[in-house]
């Protein structure tokens, strides 16, 4: 078979074919001119024609060579342009892959505890698709990982410092609460002194809640633990005892379930923050209504206030704060005048799989819905109490008593009064509800 191909268009023309036409033409013109002139002028005409022919031939050869050189330079230039365009396209595609695939995978690996060197070895060197990365891109990836690692280390150090300060404050609150308990047991028959002690106890509870909030934002878990299940009604009353305007809160239709001991303190703290927001950002003459009903996924605690309803922008901002806290909020994101409530609730919801949403309330304000998962709920006996006065309302504290010796001076020589036998948890830093509280 004969293969049909298109004729080549870039075939080089020989120099003879370029020089021959003008040389032949000039030679013919010279011969014709010499034949037409008189015999005496034939020799000068022939000489001039020959010189002209040689000059034209030389110029033609020079022009042809220049043309060939320009064509070669043009071809080389086009090849270089094509090569650079290919490099740019490949670099763009490599940059896109680096941004969308390599860097996210490397950052995820870095945040689980690996060092930048280990990430480079696992993500770049161990992957056949990334071994051919240029040295500049490899250095860029390593520098980015090193910067992120240093920032994470500084943030962790700052959070640990916050937690350490919060633990010291909690130790002081724990010691002060213990002293107040002894005084309440001793002066319980004196109404005037007992009422003053309850007010001081309530203030101690507020300080303890603030210290707990700082510790939670620092990534720590609540320091207090409840060894026995506590009824949900008592949990909500315990949350009421940790806010300033507890008198404005009304409990309605509380489901008769109990919260397991390990989840009591986080739920108390989350509800206290939501109740504090509801009372703080609503008119003082309005009431805050709390209900808790069983749903398919667990228990839905609804907190409704009669304040000003959130606009779409404000609700989006609050939900964004919740989302940031669930993803791991940075202390720098809180700003100069931080509002800790939503940030703390978001962090607690991340730790204990709670679900929080904000909606418009039927009373014209805001309705916060907190979904408690079923693994935090129990229907068995619940002997614990998270509110009220006495030893039965005290949780177990996980604070080391050695911390108390460093941050709190030893108590005085007052002889402690005997305490009644307790059926609940051992004494700790939780404050009871003040006089008049639920």
């Amino acid at each position: 078979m004969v293969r049909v191909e298109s004729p080549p268009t870039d075939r080089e023309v020989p120099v003879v074919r370029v020089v021959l036409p003008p040389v032949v033409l000039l030679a013919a013109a010279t011969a014709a001119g010499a034949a037409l002139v008189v015999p005496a002028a034939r020799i000068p005409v022939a000489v001039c024609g020959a010189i002209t022919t040689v000059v034209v031939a030389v110029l033609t050869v020079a022009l042809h060579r220049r043309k060939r050189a320009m064509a070669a330079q043009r071809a080389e230039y086009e090849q270089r342009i094509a090569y650079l365009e290919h490099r740019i396209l490949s670099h763009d595609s490599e940059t896109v892959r680096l941004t969308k695939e390599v860097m996210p995978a490397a950052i995820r690996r870095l945040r689980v505890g690996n060092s930048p060197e280990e990430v480079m070895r696992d993500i770049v060197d161990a992957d056949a698709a990334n071994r051919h990365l240029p040295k500049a891109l490899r250095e860029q990836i390593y520098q980015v990982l090193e910067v992120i690692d240093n920032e994470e280390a500084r943030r962790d150090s700052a959070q640990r410092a916050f937690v350490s300060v919060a633990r010291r404050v909690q130790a002081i609150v724990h010691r002060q609460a213990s002293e107040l308990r002894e005084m309440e047991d001793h002066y319980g028959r004196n109404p005037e002194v007992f009422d003053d002690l309850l007010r001081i106890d309530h203030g101690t509870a507020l300080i303890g809640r603030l210290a707990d909030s700082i510790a939670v934002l620092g990534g720590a878990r609540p320091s207090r633990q409840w060894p026995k299940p506590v009824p949900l009604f008592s949990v909500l009353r315990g949350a009421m005892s940790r806010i300033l305007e507890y008198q404005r809160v009304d409990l309605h239709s509380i489901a008769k379930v109990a919260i397991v001991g390990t989840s009591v303190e986080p739920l108390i703290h989350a509800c206290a923050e939501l109740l504090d927001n509801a009372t703080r950002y609503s008119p003082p003459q309005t009431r805050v209504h709390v209900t808790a009903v069983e749903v398919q996924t667990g228990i839905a605690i609804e907190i409704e206030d009669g304040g000003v309803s959130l606009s779409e922008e404000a609700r989006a901002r609050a939900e964004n704060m919740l989302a940031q806290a669930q993803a791991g909020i940075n202390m720098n994101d809180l700003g100069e005048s931080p509002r800790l409530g939503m940030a703390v609730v978001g962090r607690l919801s991340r730790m204990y799989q709670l679900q929080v949403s904000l909606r418009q309330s039927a009373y014209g304000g805001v309705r916060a819905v907190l979904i408690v998962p079923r693994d935090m709920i129990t229907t068995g006996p619940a002997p614990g109490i998270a509110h009220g006065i006495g030893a039965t309302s005290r949780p177990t504290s996980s604070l080391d008593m050695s911390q108390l010796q460093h941050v709190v001076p030893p108590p005085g020589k007052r002889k402690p009064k005997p305490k009644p036998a307790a059926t609940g948890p051992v004494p700790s830093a939780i404050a009871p509800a003040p006089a008049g509280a639920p």
Side-chain angles (χ1 to χ4, degrees), residues 61-82:
V61 172
L63 291 175
H64 181 68
R65 290 179 177 177
R66 179 63 60 87
K67 181 180 178 181
R68 290 173 57 184
M70 291 180 63
Q73 291 180 355
R74 185 180 296 109
E76 182 181 359
Y77 176 75
E78 290 177 353
Q79 291 179 356
R80 183 171 298 181
I81 292 296

Side-chain angles (χ1 to χ4, degrees), residues 331-392:
M331 291 292 185
N332 297 328
D333 299 332
L334 296 176
E336 297 181 358
S337 300
R339 295 173 60 177
L340 305 181
M342 287 301 173
V344 173
V345 173
R347 181 59 69 91
L348 288 173
S349 65
R350 178 192 178 189
M351 290 180 179
Y352 298 94
Q353 305 302 319
L354 303 174
Q355 298 180 16
V356 186
S357 62
L358 301 176
R359 304 173 185 175
Q360 187 174 0
S361 170
Y363 300 96
V366 179
R367 179 173 63 175
V369 180
L370 177 65
I371 304 296
V372 183
R374 288 202 172 272
D375 56 0
M376 297 175 61
I377 304 171
T378 179
T379 56
I385 300 177
H387 70 285
I389 304 299
T392 57

Side-chain angles (χ1 to χ4, degrees), residues 94 97 102 123-125 127-134 138:
E94 195 70 28
R97 192 179 68 86
V102 179
I123 299 297
V124 179
D125 297 335
D127 192 347
N130 299 326
R131 294 174 185 171
H132 66 280
L133 287 177
R138 295 172 62 92

